[in-house]
């Protein structure tokens, strides 16, 4: 089980000097991946489902990860997650491929359908369409990255007689991690993702999610090109004990993400990284 760190593109950790120190320290400590979340806008006033106050600063994940890419050499760079239906899929495919090339093939694209209706409405997206758009956008991006003569004709995206280079470094494009805890998200992960990414408060939560993924595998076909479905999980909130880490590893987690909340003091975040660097794998 690998260890990654998530969320350090927000609040007190987003400043360039702080990011530089934390990213270098994470790489020194043996973390293998660095992840950034995504909110274009946040509901104001805050609604119960919102994870942040509307005044909490959070950077665009791809811009943040490009900065981290220049500071590091080994860390994989993940979006955890980007709200896919809010993005133009061809523009996002170009941005992701560009970051992948500049980082030497280190990008992992975590995506989700989103859940905050005020955010969706603000960017002009009907809430009811977000799942269908997510599926189609993934198909369109995959075609643009991989097909010799890329084309796609769907309800939300249609193109042909175009191409986009450079292609991503890795054959097949960046590894796609599909996020979410609904039956639709589990089916999307099985059918379109190299892996699944989720969160929860305990190993029992993870076990329930894994059961959902197992059910989804009986409902949709998994393309052979995707290989084994990998599992990325973020315990939330709070510290991760060695005992819990062993349980997560025993459940088959490939990548455990730590989230050094509350992100109010960079020194506390550094200590958090140092305390968790030796968790059992």
């Amino acid at each position: 089980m690998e260890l990654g760190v998530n969320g350090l593109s927000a609040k007190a950790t987003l400043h360039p000097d702080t990011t530089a120190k934390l990213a270098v320290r994470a790489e020194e400590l043996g973390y293998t991946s660095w992840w950034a979340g995504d909110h274009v806008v946040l509901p104001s006033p805050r609604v119960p489902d919102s994870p942040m106050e509307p005044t909490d600063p959070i950077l665009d994940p791809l811009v943040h990860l490009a900065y981290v890419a220049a500071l590091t050499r080994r860390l994989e760079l993940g979006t955890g997650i980007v709200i896919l239906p809010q993005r133009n899929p061809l523009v996002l495919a170009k941005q992701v491929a560009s970051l992948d090339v500049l980082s030497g093939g280190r990008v992992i694209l975590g995506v989700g359908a989103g859940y905050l209706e005020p955010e969706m409405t603000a960017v002009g997206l009907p809430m009811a369409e977000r799942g269908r758009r997510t599926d189609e956008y993934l198909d369109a991006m995959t075609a643009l990255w991989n097909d010799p003569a890329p084309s796609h004709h769907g309800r939300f995206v249609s193109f042909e007689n175009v191409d986009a280079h450079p292609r991503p470094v890795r054959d097949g494009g960046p590894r796609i991690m599909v996020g979410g805890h609904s039956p639709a998200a589990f089916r999307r992960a099985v059918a379109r993702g190299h892996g699944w990414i989720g969160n929860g408060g305990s190993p029992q939560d993870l076990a329930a999610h894994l059961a959902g993924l197992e059910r989804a595998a009986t409902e949709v076909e998994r393309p052979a090109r995707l290989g084994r479905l990998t599992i990325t999980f973020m315990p939330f909130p709070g510290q991760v004990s060695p005992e819990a880490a062993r349980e997560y590893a025993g459940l088959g987690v490939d990548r455990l993400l730590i989230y050094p909340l509350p992100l109010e003091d960079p020194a506390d975040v550094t200590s958090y990284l140092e305390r968790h660097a030796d968790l059992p794998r």
Side-chain angles (χ1 to χ4, degrees):
M1 184 175 71
E2 298 180 358
L3 290 181
V5 58
N6 191 29
L8 304 190
S9 59
K11 299 177 75 171
T13 62
L14 61 77
H15 302 287
D17 290 348
T18 301
T19 298
K21 292 176 183 176
L22 289 171
V24 169
R25 186 62 179 139
E27 198 164 60
E28 290 173 346
L29 289 167
Y31 290 92
T32 60
S33 56
W34 178 286
W35 299 71
D38 179 32
H39 284 289
V40 175
V41 294
L42 288 161
S44 181
R46 185 177 183 175
V47 298
D49 288 341
S50 180
M52 303 173 68
E53 295 292 341
T55 52
D56 287 339
I58 180 171
L59 297 173
D60 177 90
L62 295 172
V63 174
H64 170 78
L65 292 173
Y67 184 70
V68 174
L71 298 166
T72 59
R73 293 294 176 265
R74 298 183 303 278
L75 283 176
E76 291 186 290
L77 309 164
T79 57
I81 48 79
V82 67
I83 305 170
L84 184 54
Q86 297 182 169
R87 308 276 178 150
N88 179 293
L90 273 68
V91 175
L92 181 61
K94 169 64 77 171
Q95 292 171 323
V96 171
S98 299
L99 177 57
D100 198 55
V101 169
L102 290 174
S103 67
R106 290 188 278 151
V107 174
I108 305 170
L109 181 63
V111 302
Y115 63 94
L116 285 175
E117 187 165 6
E119 183 175 20
M120 298 285 183
T121 300
V123 299
L125 177 69
M127 189 75 170
E129 293 180 352
R130 69 192 191 281
R132 291 189 295 272
R133 284 182 181 269
T134 299
D135 290 339
E136 189 172 324
Y137 287 8
L138 284 171
D139 293 344
M141 295 171 67
T142 298
L144 196 62
W145 286 332
N146 295 299
D147 294 353
S151 67
H152 181 86
H153 297 284
R155 179 179 175 186
F156 304 108
V157 188
S158 184
F159 61 87
E160 64 181 336
N161 299 324
V162 296
D163 211 336
H165 289 264
R167 297 291 177 88
V169 172
R170 186 179 300 190
D171 289 343
R175 304 301 88 167
I176 294 171
M177 304 292 132
V178 174
H181 308 117
S182 68
F186 294 144
R187 290 191 294 269
R188 184 174 298 120
V190 171
R192 290 178 167 86
H194 297 93
W196 172 80
I197 179 171
N199 60 63
S202 68
Q204 291 70 37
D205 286 344
L206 174 60
H209 299 327
L210 294 176
L213 288 165
E214 289 177 1
R215 286 192 295 272
T218 69
E219 298 167 351
V220 295
E221 185 177 352
R222 181 167 180 79
R225 66 173 179 81
L226 294 174
R228 181 182 67 86
L229 185 77
T230 63
I231 303 298
T232 299
F233 188 72
M234 183 179 73
F236 175 86
Q239 310 283 324
V240 181
S241 69
E243 293 75 20
R246 291 189 188 94
E247 287 192 65
Y248 290 124
L251 286 167
V253 170
D254 296 281
R255 185 185 294 109
L256 192 71
L257 305 185
I258 68 161
Y259 191 9
L261 290 173
L263 305 181
E264 293 175 354
D265 184 342
D268 288 344
V269 172
T270 302
S271 297
Y272 193 110
L273 294 179
E274 291 170 347
R275 289 196 306 273
H276 287 76
D278 294 326
L279 283 175
R281 315 296 174 90

